[in-house]
Amino acid sequence: AGGALAGLAPEAGAAAEDVDRAEMQLFNEWLLAKNKAAAEEKAEREAAALEEAEFVGPEPLPADQRAVGGGGYGGALRPGEGAAMAAYVAEGKRIPRRGEVGLKSEEIQSFEEMGYVMSGSRHNRMNAVRVRKENQIYTAEEKAALAMYNFEENKKKEEKVLADLQRLVEQSLQQPPDETPPAA
């Protein structure tokens, strides 16, 4: 800038430098504003991406409302059949057989007590299929109950160990530092 301004009067050179500084300051302000706008735009895009990444559609049932066993009823059942049968088992009701769907368990039981032969009770093969399917359901329910029991037992053991450790820490903090703990 000095070579180009050498032929000008000193006041003109100083004015040109002031203009250059003013332009540089304006450029820096513009650059900062541009960077700030780009950072805000990036933050907005990230927020939009997070919103899009959120779960869309119906939410899964809470754990306490799911069917026990999670659908591991074996391979010989039709889709949904195991869960439907498990719902009857969970309520302590008799699982309806073919021809009995739409009737309540109590109604079916009363018809059988009156002497009616329900369609699912008539054939040995049908009975064998029903018994096998019911056993699959009961087995899956028993597995789920056993898993829950084991989980609760392990939790109790962990709580006992944690309580013992806390008691030991409290005892060691209460002892004066000059005493040595007794050898076990």
Side-chain angles (χ1 to χ4, degrees):
L5 299 175
L8 296 175
E11 296 89 25
E17 283 182 20
D18 287 340
V19 170
D20 286 344
R21 282 191 192 115
E23 285 181 0
M24 188 183 308
Q25 185 177 359
L26 284 174
F27 177 74
N28 284 337
E29 289 173 4
W30 174 81
L31 193 57
L32 287 173
K34 191 79 164 169
N35 287 342
K36 184 178 178 183
E40 289 174 357
E41 185 178 322
K42 182 179 178 184
E44 288 175 8
R45 276 187 274 134
E46 289 174 354
L50 283 176
E51 286 179 15
E52 289 177 13
E54 289 180 9
F55 188 77
V56 176
E59 293 185 15
L61 287 175
D64 60 338
Q65 292 182 1
R66 289 186 195 140
V68 178
Y73 300 110
L77 300 176
R78 299 174 62 88
E81 187 176 18
M85 292 172 119
Y88 281 100
V89 170
E91 294 174 10
K93 295 181 178 178
R94 178 180 174 280
I95 298 172
R97 301 172 194 134
R98 186 180 72 185
E100 301 171 350
V101 177
L103 297 175
K104 294 185 175 134
S105 297
E106 299 82 24
E107 293 174 337
I108 296 167
Q109 198 70 32
S110 67
F111 286 141
E112 286 181 342
E113 287 172 1
M114 285 190 272
Y116 287 98
V117 177
M118 302 305 285
S119 64
S121 304
R122 191 178 310 155
H123 304 290
N124 287 338
R125 183 167 183 245
M126 186 74 173
N127 256 348
V129 169
R130 177 191 57 81
V131 168
R132 181 181 45 77
K133 287 183 178 185
E134 286 178 359
N135 286 338
Q136 280 181 295
I137 300 302
Y138 291 124
T139 302
E141 296 297 322
E142 290 166 1
K143 284 180 186 176
L146 182 61
M148 184 57 108
Y149 175 77
N150 288 337
F151 173 77
E152 290 172 357
E153 288 298 313
N154 288 338
K155 188 175 179 181
K156 286 179 187 176
K157 287 179 188 176
E158 289 175 7
E159 288 174 357
K160 184 179 184 288
V161 168
L162 185 61
D164 290 345
L165 285 173
Q166 287 175 340
R167 185 176 39 80
L168 287 172
V169 168
E170 288 174 7
Q171 284 178 354
S172 66
L173 291 176
Q174 290 175 356
Q175 290 181 350
D178 53 53
E179 291 183 26
T180 56

